[in-house]
């Protein structure tokens, strides 16, 4: 189902407050499954308690605005059974995120909606933990089909504003916001120092770029996903021909700090690649957001970021 149909399904019906029925006879559970049928769970008689949208609000824009600002008003954040019911809690959150990520929701409404969620859930530890994990899994995991670190940053900012957020969690949110805001597309990539296999000290700024493009790869040869990608890239004739003929450069940086592991894996990488180790400085100084390895960036000749944390195939294309 397209994102437009998701929005339509949520807004077009006149939802009744906390009752589970709509004017045309459909249950909220039915609507929930229409909205995001790819997310399934065990059958249940319970359904997400949508707020009642006033009948005076007739335009889709007005109904959507009201729905998002009041989305959680009928949800009981103190009910542990409800919190652990994926058909209600997780499905409800998925629908909420889908609306915010539709490309048509402005910043003010997004901020207000996330703030309302945080104000409601933050006073309750279990709710805070469950929703925090779900939002991180859906929005901050690069492997998630709903990956959206910009929207996750809205949530993190709402956490820092909410008075009920514990100090440690507020500090963690501040840290993640700064990390997310670094190295965004169009910005200059953060400079860092690395050392070549010959022991030469280099920086990203000093690294020569051929063909106006530099693929920046952060990796760990002991990581299964990294190993698979390294093998794929090493054997990719398109990539290695482009490097050989000067159409692009590739810089692979080992970030984990174990020099023996790094040296032992060097013979498996093509000689045409630029390879280095940063002695763990990138992670220790939080210069790049390496939440999942491997991590790929595409830079231009001046080291501006073209693609942040992208998929290999899309970057190569």
């Amino acid at each position: 189902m397209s994102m437009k149909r998701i929005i339509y399904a949520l807004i077009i019906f006149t939802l009744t407050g906390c009752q589970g029925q709509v004017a045309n006879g459909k249950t909220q559970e039915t609507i929930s499954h229409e909205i995001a049928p790819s997310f399934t769970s065990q059958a249940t008689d319970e359904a997400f308690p949508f707020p009642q949208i006033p009948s005076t609000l007739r335009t889709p824009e007005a109904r959507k605005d009201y729905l998002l600002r009041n989305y959680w008003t009928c949800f009981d954040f103190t009910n542990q059974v409800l919190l652990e019911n994926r058909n209600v809690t997780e499905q409800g959150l998925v629908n909420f995120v889908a609306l915010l990520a539709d490309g048509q929701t402005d910043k003010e409404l997004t901020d207000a909606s996330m703030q309302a969620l945080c104000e409601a859930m933050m006073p309750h530890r279990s709710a805070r933990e469950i929703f925090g994990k779900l939002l991180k899994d859906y929005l901050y995991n690069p492997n998630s089909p709903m990956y959206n670190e910009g929207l996750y940053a809205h949530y993190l900012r709402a956490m820092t504003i909410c008075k009920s957020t514990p100090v440690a969690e507020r500090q963690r949110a501040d840290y993640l916001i700064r990390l997310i805001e670094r190295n965004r597309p169009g910005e200059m990539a953060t400079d860092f120092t690395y050392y070549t296999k010959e022991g030469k000290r280099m920086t990203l700024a000093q690294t020569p770029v051929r063909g106006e493009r530099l693929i920046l790869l952060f990796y760990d040869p002991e990581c299964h996903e990294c190993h698979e990608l390294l093998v794929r890239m090493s054997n990719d004739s398109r990539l290695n021909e482009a490097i050989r003929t000067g159409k692009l450069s590739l810089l692979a940086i080992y970030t984990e700090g174990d020099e023996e592991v790094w040296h032992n894996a060097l013979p498996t990488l093509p000689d045409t690649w630029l390879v280095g180790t940063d002695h763990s400085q990138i992670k220790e100084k939080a210069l790049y957001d390496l939440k999942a390895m491997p991590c790929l960036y595409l830079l231009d000749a001046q080291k501006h970021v073209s693609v942040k944390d992208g998929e290999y195939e899309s970057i190569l294309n």
Side-chain angles (χ1 to χ4, degrees):
M1 183 177 291
S2 69
M3 190 64 72
K4 287 184 179 179
R5 287 189 65 192
I6 290 173
I7 297 167
Y8 179 83
L10 271 172
I11 297 174
I12 199 66
F13 297 109
T14 305
L15 302 176
T16 60
C18 313
Q19 298 300 315
Q21 291 289 329
V22 295
N24 65 356
K26 286 188 177 183
T27 65
Q28 291 174 359
E29 182 178 2
T30 301
I31 293 175
S32 180
H33 285 293
E34 286 182 352
I35 293 167
S38 60
F39 297 89
T40 59
S41 59
Q42 295 181 346
T44 175
D45 291 333
E46 298 181 62
F48 186 83
F50 290 103
Q52 179 180 358
I53 299 178
S55 59
T56 54
L57 300 178
R58 298 188 178 277
T59 67
E61 294 77 15
R63 296 171 68 79
K64 176 186 175 183
D65 185 281
Y66 183 92
L67 176 61
L68 282 173
R69 292 178 188 273
N70 297 276
Y71 194 91
W72 303 99
T73 54
C74 295
F75 187 88
D76 184 1
F77 288 93
T78 67
N79 187 329
Q80 188 66 29
V81 174
L82 182 65
L83 288 170
E84 295 176 358
N85 187 332
R86 293 185 60 186
N87 197 61
V88 179
T89 301
E90 187 169 352
Q91 183 67 70
L93 183 63
V94 165
N95 298 341
F96 177 70
V97 167
L99 276 172
L100 292 176
D102 67 354
Q104 301 175 36
T105 307
D106 63 32
K107 180 180 182 300
E108 190 277 330
L109 179 55
T110 300
D111 285 339
S113 303
M114 282 294 189
Q115 188 64 35
L117 170 60
C118 286
E119 293 291 348
M121 76 168 178
M122 280 297 167
H124 314 292
R125 179 177 178 179
S126 184
R128 190 167 65 240
E129 292 174 352
I130 289 173
F131 276 84
K133 183 179 187 306
L134 287 173
L135 285 161
K136 182 177 181 180
D137 289 345
Y138 277 113
L139 298 179
Y140 197 51
N141 182 347
N143 297 317
S144 166
M146 301 183 78
Y147 173 60
N148 188 328
E149 68 172 24
L151 187 53
Y152 191 65
H154 279 280
Y155 162 66
L156 294 172
R157 292 189 192 97
M159 283 182 63
T160 64
I161 296 171
C162 181
K163 295 180 180 180
S164 302
T165 304
V167 174
E169 293 188 31
R170 185 178 291 111
Q171 292 173 341
R172 175 64 177 170
D174 275 328
Y175 168 80
L176 289 176
I177 290 169
R178 291 195 299 271
L179 203 56
I180 288 173
E181 290 179 342
R182 284 183 174 173
N183 304 301
R184 291 181 296 187
E187 296 181 351
M188 186 71 72
T190 302
D191 199 17
F192 59 86
T193 299
Y194 66 93
Y195 299 85
T196 68
K197 54 188 175 183
E198 295 81 19
K200 182 180 179 181
R201 183 183 182 277
M202 292 283 290
T203 66
L204 176 63
Q206 294 170 339
T207 302
V209 178
R210 303 172 68 195
E212 303 295 315
R213 292 290 184 269
L214 173 67
I215 294 178
L216 178 57
L217 166 65
F218 298 107
Y219 76 99
D220 174 7
E222 292 191 320
C223 152
H224 177 70
E225 289 77 12
C226 293
H227 176 73
E228 287 189 342
L229 181 61
L230 288 172
V231 170
R232 180 183 174 190
M233 293 176 67
S234 297
N235 295 321
D236 191 326
S237 58
R238 296 176 301 161
L239 172 65
N240 291 295
E241 179 65 13
I243 295 173
R244 187 187 66 80
T245 57
K247 293 181 179 179
L248 63 84
S249 299
L250 188 149
L251 174 61
I253 299 296
Y254 172 68
T255 60
E256 304 308 300
D258 190 323
E259 297 301 300
E260 183 177 357
V261 168
W262 179 60
H263 278 286
N264 289 341
L266 285 175
T268 66
L269 303 180
D271 292 335
T272 53
W273 293 14
L274 302 172
V275 183
T277 176
D278 73 327
H279 295 172
S280 300
Q281 291 303 295
I282 290 173
K283 282 191 170 182
E284 290 179 7
K285 295 180 179 179
L287 301 181
Y288 284 77
D289 189 1
L290 305 181
K291 53 183 170 289
M293 298 287 274
C295 184
L296 284 163
Y297 283 70
L298 180 63
L299 312 182
D300 65 17
Q302 289 73 44
K303 312 300 181 358
H304 292 101
V305 177
S306 298
V307 178
K308 176 182 179 180
D309 199 7
E311 295 291 332
Y312 169 62
E313 192 66 30
S314 63
I315 285 179
L316 188 59
N317 287 336

